[in-house]
């Protein structure tokens, strides 16, 4: 848990520490929107996924999506958080063309999920607990397009009303690396739970970063909120820029104004969006179209009971159960699909380390080369398992197996098929190997005499000769054993 | 023939249709003719004669096949706050002057499913904000009733459902729908001598009704008799999964419950807090008369306390405008309704809303915005919500002792057009007896029981327990029998 | 409670309603009057523990996660004051 000093930034007059908290907007994976029956898919033609409710037609009323409630609870449980049995939907009032009702339905005073935490893993091998303040449900806004016409803004309401979870952290983050680790961990947890696909390119996960700087151990500085950061790389850029900007101001005797800033992805900078004085007055009040959301304890318990194993727990189990290294375990749990692949690989009794190696080194290497993900892998866990089994049974040597692997990936054929087609079986028949050994010894009587007179090094020569005579198919271990016997 | 057809109550009209004494088309023609004759009342914003006749014709065809709904063939009027598919729906506002919904409200769907015929959309106070129907963009509605000593004086029909009230009273519709946020069904019903019922919050769906104040709005029937009202309510009420505040409950047979009932032993509460300064003495007298009638019918009269009553009006005038300020934010000139073109977005918003809303609506939006704004929210909105809880508690306490509460509907008879305009508050005070009911989400009915010395109708209000509509209708039915009024503005009696 | 003209203007801006100088004056007076009347609430004694809850205590209805709506672009855009290429159009927003 210790904080390393690596995070500190050297300034003109001393060291600075960055203090950050995140507000992440995660789109809930669901078929339909939070309060309407329109589809929540990405990339549809403009205004095709809009119900009369989403367009805020007169007299239209919201009805909540039960699945979205479950998704928020599951995410809360995944973040070790309190689930509030009573929460309230409020209206956040402001005018904007892509906010049809003139208010966003959100949760202000009483969110569905209270405080929790997640643990981030850092490059130096340490881990750190980041406290979660709350998670609440809210609607997304539509999309305003400003660059299609010189004097007009175009409005598409497909996104309006899609369910979001806003996940707010405490100001526990101290570096761009920690922020990246936090975002990755949060995304990993939501992907495991299938509550959010975490696809930042499609906007299904966006974040606002609250940044302030201080001298280590000093009081918290004035913070600026950086809006709409939509990739982990941008988050790092934005933080680097913003921290430097604030330190420069302070070191030149200035003060930080509390404000909302916008990240400019083209320039890698942040700029003022609005100052605190111009902070909008949202006039929050409970939405009278919706009653308070009451959850039953049993309902939460049922979701808790059916919660799948999350990455941290899974990692620990892989280490305990299979004696894997922390590194291997971390890689295997990094995405739920990889973990699933690995566990399928081990659904038959196989050497966990060998299996992990083949997955992490060979399969990932190959997938990387062809630019595909584990889900699109041309080799199924069953197929890779067969290969591992052939190695385990001594049918294939490691080197032979690699050739077979490539052919499997390229042709889709099973390992056994390739082996028998190419006659690749190792020779494990002792009689056959003994026959070859006798041949080799008989053709090299002088070398045999030298060996017997004490020139042990010649053993390697005999191994090579036998291997060559067997076209490389002799089982190395067996060969060793039989050769020793023959020369003794 | 024509005149006598429009004088039939809903129950009588159904009987005539059943006996084939006349067809729905004939009945509809009679109403359309009367509507044409009495356009000076300005009761309708849109008349839909073609649609009416087409629907009547279809109803007559269904009648032949014996496929008969609760309101089969009966021509009704719909307050222009209910969205009707393909029929202009304005909320009496310039901002929705040309709005044509592509959808039909749940309540009107229910009514059409039961065989009724649409005569047109009735006038109202803009966005249902008012108690006199003078805030309509389409001009005020004139009450069909004449002041006894000043026959030329134009009277208000009350509001906000003034068009529906005037239409039912003047025989321009058999019955009508209204909405009631603070008295908008009951007060106009009392002013024009008809029956108006505000159901328990959640009994009638709000889906497709232009919202004023969501936690208070409730649709309800307006008709000439208690029996007609029961039938209308039965057609309208029911659970709607599209309205999160709709209550999933079995709708009883309200009409059948009027055939045979006894009020013996029923406890009627009289809240002393409802004796307010400025209440007309003849209204107090009529209230007493009502108690006597119910006593004779076997009911017991008992005093009850509703100590927070005096806070109801100011509480209402915080909560209703607050919700309205948010509900009316959608009228922004972007997706439908009026737009005043402008160079910048903010100009477009501000000019559109300045031109689209009338003075009373703007006043309430501004008040609502103010009470929700930073620094005032706790002092106004939260305080009002707590008082609302206390007002509800008052009723809950009272209902431990009594079954129904009897009060006047309004402190005065109908006033003249242009009166009470000097300041907004004097108009707000007209809702003093009706507003607490909305705050508590309870059902209440206004039933005409007498005429003032000026020959104008006066009504009494019965307030019930949640989902106590059946009892309310029964007690109202008793009062109606005792009063035995003709309720005909043309006769003046 | 007093409402000055700046407050009236601020509220009107929040509510996106343009007021003329005369309207600022007249609405100011009316709001002042109404708020003064509403002030009587301040004298009301509210016992501890009273929650500012809506009156109805029924359970919030939930719907199942199914696509039941959408695909009605024409209906959605039918009443639009200005549209192009199936988008709503507004004066350009400068951020």
């Amino acid at each position: 848990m210790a904080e390393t000093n690596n995070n500190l930034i050297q300034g003109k007059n001393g060291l600075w520490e960055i203090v950050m908290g995140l507000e992440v907007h995660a789109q809930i994976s669901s078929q339909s929107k939070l309060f309407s029956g329109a589809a929540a898919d990405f990339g549809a033609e403009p205004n095709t996924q809009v119900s009369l409710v989403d367009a805020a037609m007169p007299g239209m009323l919201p009805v909540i999506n039960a699945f979205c409630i479950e998704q928020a609870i599951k995410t809360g449980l995944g973040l070790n958080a309190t689930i509030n049995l009573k929460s309230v939907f409020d209206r956040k009032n402001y005018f904007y063309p892509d906010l049809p009702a003139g208010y966003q339905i959100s949760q202000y005073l009483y969110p569905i999920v209270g405080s929790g935490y997640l643990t981030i893993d850092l490059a130096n091998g340490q881990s750190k607990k980041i406290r979660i303040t709350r998670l609440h449900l809210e609607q997304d806004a539509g999309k305003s397009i400003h660059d299609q016409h010189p004097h007009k803004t175009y409005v598409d309401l497909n996104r309006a009303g899609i369910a979001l979870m806003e996940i707010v952290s405490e100001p526990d983050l101290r570096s761009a690396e920690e922020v990246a680790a936090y975002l990755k961990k949060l995304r990993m947890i939501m992907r495991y739970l299938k509550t959010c696909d975490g696809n930042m390119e499609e906007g299904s996960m966006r974040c606002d970063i609250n940044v302030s700087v201080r001298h280590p151990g000093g009081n918290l500085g004035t913070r600026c909120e950086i809006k709409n950061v939509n990739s982990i790389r941008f988050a790092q850029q934005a933080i680097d820029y913003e921290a430097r900007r604030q330190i420069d101001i302070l070191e030149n005797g200035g003060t930080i104004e509390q404000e909302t800033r916008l990240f400019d992805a083209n320039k890698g900078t942040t700029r003022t969006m609005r100052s605190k004085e111009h902070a909008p007055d949202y006039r929050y009040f409970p939405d009278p179209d919706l009653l308070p959301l009451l959850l039953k304890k049993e309902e939460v318990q049922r979701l808790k009971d059916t919660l799948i194993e999350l990455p941290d727990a899974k990692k620990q189990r892989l280490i305990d159960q299979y004696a894997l290294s922390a590194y291997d375990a971390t890689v295997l749990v990094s995405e739920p699909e990889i973990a699933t692949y690995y566990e399928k690989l081990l659904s038959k009794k196989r050497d966990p380390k060998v299996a992990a190696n083949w997955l992490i080194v060979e399969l990932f290497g190959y997938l990387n080369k062809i630019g595909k993900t584990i889900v699109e892998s041309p080799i199924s866990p069953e197929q890779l398992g067969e290969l591992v089994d052939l190695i385990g049974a001594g049918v294939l040597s490691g080197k032979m197996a690699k050739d077979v692997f490539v052919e499997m990936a390229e042709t889709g054929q099973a390992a056994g098929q390739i082996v028998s087609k190419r006659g690749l079986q190792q020779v494990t028949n002792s009689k056959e190997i003994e026959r070859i050994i006798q041949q080799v010894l008989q053709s090299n009587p002088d070398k045999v005499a030298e060996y017997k007179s004490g020139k042990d090094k010649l053993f390697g020569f005999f191994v090579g000769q036998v291997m060559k005579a067997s076209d490389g198919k002799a089982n190395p271990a067996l060969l060793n054993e039989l050769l020793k016997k023959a020369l003794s | 023939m024509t005149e006598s057809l429009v004088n039939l109550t809903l129950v009588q009209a159904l009987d005539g249709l059943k006996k084939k004494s006349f067809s729905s088309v004939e009945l509809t023609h009679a109403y359309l003719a009367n509507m044409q004759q009495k356009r000076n009342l300005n009761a309708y914003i849109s008349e839909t004669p073609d649609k009416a006749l087409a629907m009547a014709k279809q109803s007559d065809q269904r009648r032949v096949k014996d496929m008969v709904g609760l309101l089969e063939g009966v021509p009704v009027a719909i307050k222009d706050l209910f969205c009707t598919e393909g029929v202009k729906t304005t909320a009496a506002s310039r901002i929705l002057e040309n709005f044509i919904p592509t959808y039909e409200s749940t309540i009107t769907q229910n009514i059409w499913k039961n065989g009724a015929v649409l005569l047109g959309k009735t006038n109202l106070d803009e966005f249902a904000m008012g108690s006199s129907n003078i805030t309509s963009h389409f001009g005020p509605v004139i009450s069909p009733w004449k002041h006894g000593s000043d026959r030329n004086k134009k009277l208000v029909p009350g509001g906000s459902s003034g068009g529906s009230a005037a239409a039912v009273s003047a025989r321009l519709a058999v019955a009508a729908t209204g909405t009631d946020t603070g008295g908008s069904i009951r007060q106009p019903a009392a002013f024009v001598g008809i029956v108006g019922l505000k159901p328990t919050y959640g009994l009638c769906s709000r889906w497709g009704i232009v919202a004023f104040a969501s936690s208070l709005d409730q649709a309800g029937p307006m008709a000439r008799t208690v029996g007609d009202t029961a039938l209308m309510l039965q057609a309208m009420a029911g659970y709607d999964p599209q309205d999160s505040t709709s209550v999933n409950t079995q709708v009883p047979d309200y009409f059948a419950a009027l055939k045979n009932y006894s009020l013996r032993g029923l406890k009627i509460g009289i809240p002393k807090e409802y004796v307010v300064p400025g209440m007309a003495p003849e209204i107090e007298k009529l209230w007493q008369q009502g108690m006597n009638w119910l006593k004779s019918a076997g009911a017991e009269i008992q005093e009850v306390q509703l100590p927070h009553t005096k806070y109801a009006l100011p509480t209402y005038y915080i909560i209703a405008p607050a919700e309205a300020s948010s509900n009316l934010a959608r009228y922004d000139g972007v997706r439908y309704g009026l737009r005043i073109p402008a160079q910048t977005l903010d100009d477009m918003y501000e000019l559109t809303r300045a031109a689209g809303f009338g003075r009373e609506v703007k006043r309430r939006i501004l008040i609502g915005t103010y009470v929700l704004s930073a620094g005032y929210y706790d002092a106004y909105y939260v305080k009002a919500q707590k008082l609302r809880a206390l007002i509800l508690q008052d009723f809950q306490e009272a209902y431990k002792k009594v079954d129904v509460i009897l009060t006047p509907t309004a402190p005065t008879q109908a006033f003249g057009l242009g009166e009470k305009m000097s300041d907004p508050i004097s108009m707000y005070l007209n809702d003093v007896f009706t507003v607490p009911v909305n705050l508590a989400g309870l059902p209440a009915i206004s039933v005409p029981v007498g005429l003032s010395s000026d020959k104008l109708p006066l009504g009494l209000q019965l307030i019930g327990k949640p989902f106590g509509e059946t009892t309310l209708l029964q007690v109202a039915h008793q009062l109606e029998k005792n009063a035995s009024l003709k309720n005909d503005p043309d006769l003046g009696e | 409670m007093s409402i000055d003209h700046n407050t009236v203007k601020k509220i009107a801006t929040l509510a996106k309603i343009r007021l003329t100088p005369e309207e600022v004056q007249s609405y100011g007076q009316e709001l002042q009057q109404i708020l003064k009347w509403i002030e009587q609430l301040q004298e009301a004694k509210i016992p501890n523990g009273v929650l500012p809850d809506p009156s109805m205590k029924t359970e919030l209805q939930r719907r199942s996660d199914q696509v039941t709506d959408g695909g009605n672009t024409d209906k959605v855009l039918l009443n639009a004051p200005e549209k192009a290429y199936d988008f709503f159009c507004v004066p350009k927003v400068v951020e």
Side-chain angles (χ1 to χ4, degrees):
Chain A
M1 295 301 290
E3 278 175 31
T4 59
N5 285 337
N6 301 345
N7 290 337
L8 300 180
I9 296 174
Q10 181 66 53
K12 272 197 298 196
N13 44 10
L15 291 168
W16 292 92
E17 182 183 46
I18 321 175
V19 176
M20 287 170 290
L22 256 58
E23 290 167 24
V24 173
H25 289 90
Q27 180 183 327
I28 290 179
S29 301
S30 63
Q31 298 295 313
S32 62
K33 296 182 179 181
L34 183 54
F35 293 111
S36 88
D41 300 337
F42 175 79
E45 291 299 308
N47 290 309
T48 52
Q49 297 184 163
V50 182
S51 80
L52 299 168
V53 178
D54 306 321
M57 290 290 168
M60 291 301 99
L61 298 170
V63 183
I64 197 162
N65 184 334
F67 183 65
C68 293
I69 298 172
E70 289 193 2
Q71 293 285 67
I73 298 171
K74 276 160 81 174
T75 308
L77 293 171
L79 297 172
N80 311 293
T82 333
I83 307 302
N84 294 322
L85 296 182
K86 180 180 175 182
S87 63
V88 176
F89 289 98
D90 297 287
R91 291 184 181 178
K92 179 181 181 179
N93 296 283
Y94 65 95
F95 284 85
Y96 203 74
D98 59 25
L99 186 73
Y103 56 81
Q104 176 196 32
I105 305 179
S106 180
Q107 297 189 302
Y108 185 51
L109 288 179
Y110 305 100
I112 184 166
V113 175
S115 59
Y117 67 88
L118 63 73
T119 307
I120 56 171
D121 306 306
L122 300 169
N124 62 9
Q126 290 181 330
S127 59
K128 181 176 170 183
K129 220 180 226 190
I130 306 298
R131 292 170 299 158
I132 306 284
T133 315
R134 57 183 278 164
L135 175 157
H136 69 252
L137 282 164
E138 64 181 31
Q139 300 174 295
D140 204 349
K143 196 166 144 198
S144 293
I145 302 157
H146 306 300
D147 55 5
Q148 295 294 306
H149 188 283
H151 315 296
K152 305 280 176 203
T153 288
Y154 289 167
V155 181
D156 172 16
L157 298 180
N158 280 349
R159 223 175 61 191
I162 285 181
L164 300 179
M165 296 179 280
E166 181 174 328
I167 302 157
V168 183
S169 85
E170 292 288 313
D172 286 352
L173 297 157
R174 294 290 178 272
S175 68
E177 187 210 344
E178 290 187 5
V179 167
Y182 174 83
L183 287 171
K184 283 179 192 160
K185 187 47 127 347
L186 184 57
R187 183 169 63 182
M188 198 194 291
I189 291 170
M190 293 191 296
R191 282 184 175 168
Y192 264 76
L193 295 168
K194 295 189 168 66
T195 56
C196 169
D197 66 22
N199 192 331
M200 294 186 94
E201 294 73 48
E202 292 179 359
S204 51
M205 194 173 149
R206 319 190 277 273
C207 83
D208 305 335
I209 310 172
N210 285 297
V211 181
S212 66
V213 296
R214 66 175 175 186
H215 290 300
N219 291 330
L220 282 178
T222 305
R223 66 191 161 87
C224 291
E225 183 183 11
I226 311 171
K227 282 259 177 222
N228 260 327
V229 184
N230 44 25
S231 84
I232 292 175
R233 191 166 56 88
F234 289 160
Q236 288 174 309
Q237 280 180 15
I239 293 162
D240 289 343
Y241 177 87
E242 181 61 18
R244 187 33 74 186
R245 186 189 73 86
Q246 292 188 15
I247 291 169
D248 285 347
I249 291 174
L250 293 170
E251 291 192 331
N252 289 309
T255 51
I256 306 296
E257 300 295 325
Q258 185 172 340
E259 60 181 5
T260 304
R261 300 179 66 84
L262 210 57
F263 176 67
D264 185 331
N266 295 321
K267 296 183 191 149
T269 61
T270 67
R271 62 182 156 88
T272 302
M273 190 174 142
R274 60 173 175 251
S275 65
K276 192 192 177 191
E277 294 78 70
H278 293 100
D281 185 346
Y282 289 124
R283 289 157 287 138
Y284 283 99
F285 76 108
D287 190 330
D289 286 330
L290 296 162
L291 303 159
L293 173 60
L294 304 178
L295 303 174
K296 291 192 181 73
K297 268 189 196 149
E298 303 78 61
E299 186 178 5
V300 177
Q301 191 57 46
R302 181 177 57 79
L303 290 170
K304 210 173 201 168
D305 292 343
T306 55
L307 209 62
I308 63 153
E309 187 179 37
L310 289 172
D312 285 347
K314 196 182 277 288
K315 179 179 156 188
Q316 196 53 52
R317 183 172 59 79
L318 293 185
I319 292 172
D320 296 346
Q321 191 175 340
Y322 301 126
L324 293 182
S325 70
Y327 172 80
D328 282 355
T330 304
V331 174
L332 290 174
V333 303
S334 63
E335 283 175 41
E337 292 81 10
I338 297 174
T340 307
Y341 193 104
Y342 180 66
E343 305 240 52
K344 272 192 195 153
L345 209 45
L346 292 192
S347 60
K348 260 180 80 180
K349 193 169 161 51
R350 285 170 183 140
D351 184 325
K353 280 187 196 165
V354 175
N357 253 345
W358 275 89
L359 177 53
I360 293 171
V361 181
E362 299 306 327
L363 185 59
F364 282 5
Y366 183 79
L367 290 174
N368 216 14
K369 212 171 70 186
I370 60 169
K372 288 196 168 167
T373 67
I374 187 91
V375 188
E376 305 156 318
S377 168
I379 299 177
S380 71
E382 292 72 25
Q383 288 174 318
L384 189 60
E386 188 191 344
L387 185 67
V388 171
D389 288 344
L390 289 172
I391 301 164
V395 176
L396 287 175
S397 68
K399 191 176 165 304
M400 289 160 76
K402 283 180 194 176
D403 293 341
V404 173
F405 175 85
V406 172
E407 193 168 339
M408 282 166 69
E410 281 165 2
T411 64
Q413 285 178 327
Q417 239 181 319
I418 296 167
V419 165
S420 59
K421 186 188 72 188
R422 286 181 36 184
L424 282 177
Q425 251 117 326
Q426 277 191 113
V427 178
T428 50
N429 181 329
S430 338
K431 292 239 167 74
E432 175 65 9
I433 295 176
E434 273 167 0
R435 192 184 58 79
I436 300 172
I437 289 174
Q438 288 313 315
Q439 250 178 31
V440 169
L441 297 187
Q442 277 161 22
S443 349
N444 295 286
D446 43 340
K447 294 270 180 354
V448 173
E450 277 179 60
Y451 177 85
K452 288 194 168 161
S453 66
K455 212 168 175 186
D456 289 356
K457 279 185 196 157
L458 278 171
F459 190 77
F461 166 81
F462 293 119
V463 171
Q465 291 300 307
V466 176
M467 215 30 134
K468 202 173 156 192
S470 76
D471 284 338
K473 292 182 201 165
N475 179 305
L478 197 56
L479 187 157
N480 261 310
E481 188 193 317
L482 295 174
L483 188 61
K484 265 183 198 153
K485 216 189 272 172
L487 287 169
S488 58
Chain B
M1 163 85 175
T2 297
E3 198 194 321
S4 65
L5 280 189
V6 297
N7 276 322
L8 299 175
T9 65
L10 200 167
V11 175
Q12 291 164 341
L14 282 174
D15 194 47
L17 287 165
K18 189 179 169 190
K19 291 185 176 140
K20 310 252 164 48
S21 312
F22 47 84
S23 66
S24 173
V25 168
E26 286 168 314
L27 186 62
T28 303
H29 267 302
Y31 274 99
L32 290 172
N34 213 26
M35 283 159 67
Q36 209 166 0
Q37 244 175 47
K38 293 181 180 168
R39 287 222 174 109
N40 61 317
L41 299 181
N42 203 23
Y44 284 88
I45 290 174
S46 309
E47 296 178 6
T48 55
D50 296 343
K51 194 175 171 82
L53 289 170
M55 289 173 89
K57 210 171 147 190
Q58 284 168 8
S59 170
D60 285 333
Q61 285 162 0
R62 283 195 298 269
R63 173 86 52 192
V64 171
K65 291 182 211 150
D66 230 18
M67 293 161 59
V68 181
L70 270 177
L71 306 174
E72 195 57 59
V74 173
V76 300
I78 300 295
K79 187 179 185 177
D80 205 17
L81 204 61
F82 292 78
C83 288
T84 40
E85 188 175 353
V87 177
K88 197 173 68 171
T89 301
T90 69
S93 180
R94 188 184 168 202
I95 213 155
L96 285 178
E97 200 168 16
N98 297 307
F99 176 65
I100 298 174
T102 57
Y103 50 95
E104 186 80 32
S105 81
T106 301
I107 290 292
T108 45
Q109 278 182 49
N110 289 349
I111 288 175
W112 312 141
K113 250 185 275 168
N114 276 295
V117 169
L118 173 67
L119 289 169
K121 306 291 291 289
T122 56
N123 206 343
L124 64 149
D125 280 298
E126 185 181 0
F127 281 103
M129 296 180 192
S131 311
S132 60
N133 224 301
I134 51 172
T135 70
S136 167
H137 172 63
F138 301 95
V141 178
I142 311 299
S143 170
W145 287 83
K146 300 281 182 222
H147 193 281
S149 55
D150 183 357
R151 310 252 333 144
N152 292 321
K153 183 175 172 180
K154 285 180 176 166
L155 299 174
V156 302
S160 68
S161 312
S164 287
V168 173
S169 169
R171 278 62 175 159
L172 310 183
V174 180
T177 62
T179 63
D180 191 317
T181 306
S184 283
I185 286 175
R186 291 159 288 159
Q187 182 253 24
F191 277 16
V192 301
I194 63 168
V195 181
L197 188 146
K198 182 210 96 80
T200 310
Y201 186 80
L203 181 67
C204 286
S205 167
R206 294 185 297 115
W207 193 87
I209 303 173
V210 176
F212 161 14
S214 314
S215 75
L216 301 160
D217 293 346
Q218 189 59 202
M222 304 174 82
R224 277 175 237 154
T225 68
V226 173
D228 292 3
T229 306
L231 272 175
M232 274 291 280
L233 179 63
Q234 204 154 343
M236 293 166 73
Y239 173 62
D240 181 3
Q242 288 180 286
D243 174 359
S244 300
T245 59
S246 174
V247 178
N248 198 348
T249 171
Q250 189 71 35
V251 177
D253 190 337
Y254 300 116
F255 186 68
L258 296 179
K259 282 188 193 121
N260 202 358
Y261 62 89
S262 161
L263 302 189
R264 191 150 303 281
L266 196 79
K267 295 191 180 67
I268 310 287
I270 307 295
K272 63 177 192 321
E273 292 83 0
Y274 279 57
V275 183
V276 296
M279 182 157 78
E282 53 190 355
I283 288 180
E284 234 180 304
K285 221 178 99 191
L286 200 67
W287 192 5
Q288 189 57 54
Q289 175 69 72
M291 296 179 216
N292 293 342
W293 282 332
L294 294 180
K295 217 187 287 179
S296 315
E300 293 165 25
I301 306 296
Q302 205 174 315
E303 196 174 279
V304 289
Q305 271 88 47
L306 299 170
H308 294 91
T309 299
K310 65 174 171 175
Y311 299 121
L313 272 177
T315 295
Y316 175 84
Y317 277 97
I318 290 170
I319 292 171
E323 292 184 11
S325 72
S326 177
N327 281 337
L328 270 59
R330 64 187 60 201
Y331 307 103
D332 59 2
V334 177
R335 296 164 317 286
Y336 49 81
L338 180 75
R339 172 189 290 195
I340 304 294
Q343 291 302 308
T344 71
L345 179 68
D346 267 341
D347 281 349
M348 190 276 277
Y349 278 151
E350 294 189 356
L351 296 173
T352 297
R353 289 166 61 80
F357 294 135
R359 193 169 177 91
E360 179 67 26
V361 172
K362 281 190 247 186
R363 183 156 57 206
R364 296 203 198 188
I365 292 175
L366 292 175
I367 284 281
T369 305
Y370 181 77
V371 298
L372 289 177
S373 63
Y376 301 105
Y377 178 75
D378 286 333
Y380 289 113
Y381 189 79
V382 173
K383 183 124 196 183
Q385 286 290 22
K386 286 182 176 174
L387 277 159
R388 183 177 184 177
L390 291 176
I391 288 163
L392 173 64
Q393 259 178 38
D394 283 356
F395 279 108
Q396 287 167 337
E397 283 304 310
Y399 285 128
K400 286 178 185 165
K401 289 186 270 176
V402 300
D403 302 298
V404 170
I405 291 170
L406 177 72
T407 78
T409 307
T412 66
Q413 64 185 17
F415 44 88
L417 199 65
E419 285 173 25
K420 299 198 187 235
M421 295 290 287
S422 55
D423 72 283
I425 293 166
S426 71
M427 184 73 79
Y428 295 171
L429 290 175
N430 216 265
D431 300 331
V432 62
F433 300 143
T434 47
V435 151
V437 174
N438 297 76
L439 289 171
L442 299 171
I445 189 168
S446 176
V447 53
V449 286
L451 295 181
S452 71
S453 52
D454 294 325
K455 294 269 182 195
L456 292 178
L458 297 171
L460 287 179
Q461 171 178 244
L462 293 156
I463 308 169
K465 295 178 180 175
F467 302 100
E469 279 81 0
T470 302
T471 311
L472 280 190
L473 286 160
Q474 288 169 339
V475 181
H477 193 243
Q478 180 66 46
L479 290 176
E480 180 179 66
K481 273 193 283 188
N482 288 118
S484 90
L485 294 171
K486 291 213 171 70
N487 292 329
D488 187 343
D490 284 347
L491 301 174
E493 57 181 291
Chain C
M1 188 59 57
S2 108
I3 284 212
D4 58 24
H5 289 178
N6 278 337
T7 310
V8 177
K9 283 185 211 160
K10 208 185 95 189
I11 305 168
T13 306
L14 267 179
K16 297 272 187 260
I17 296 175
R18 181 71 49 89
L19 297 182
T20 63
E22 299 76 52
E23 284 176 321
V24 171
Q25 177 87 26
S26 60
Y27 278 116
Q29 276 169 11
E30 288 170 12
L31 297 197
Q32 176 79 34
Q33 196 187 357
I34 294 167
L35 286 170
K36 206 179 135 211
W37 174 67
I38 288 174
E39 275 303 290
Q40 59 180 298
L41 283 195
Q42 301 311 325
E43 61 166 90
K45 288 192 182 56
I46 296 171
N48 288 336
V50 174
L51 294 174
D53 239 11
S55 51
M56 303 306 292
K57 291 283 182 277
T58 48
E59 204 170 321
L60 180 61
Q61 302 293 328
R62 308 177 191 181
R63 47 167 250 279
S64 63
D65 182 30
Q66 279 165 345
V67 177
T68 54
D69 211 333
N72 285 321
T73 312
D74 293 346
K75 278 188 174 184
V76 167
L77 293 166
L78 179 74
N79 285 283
E82 193 184 347
K83 55 193 161 186
Y85 314 108
D86 286 348
F87 291 103
F88 295 101
C89 292
V90 294
K92 196 175 187 87
V93 182
V94 190
E95 285 202 319

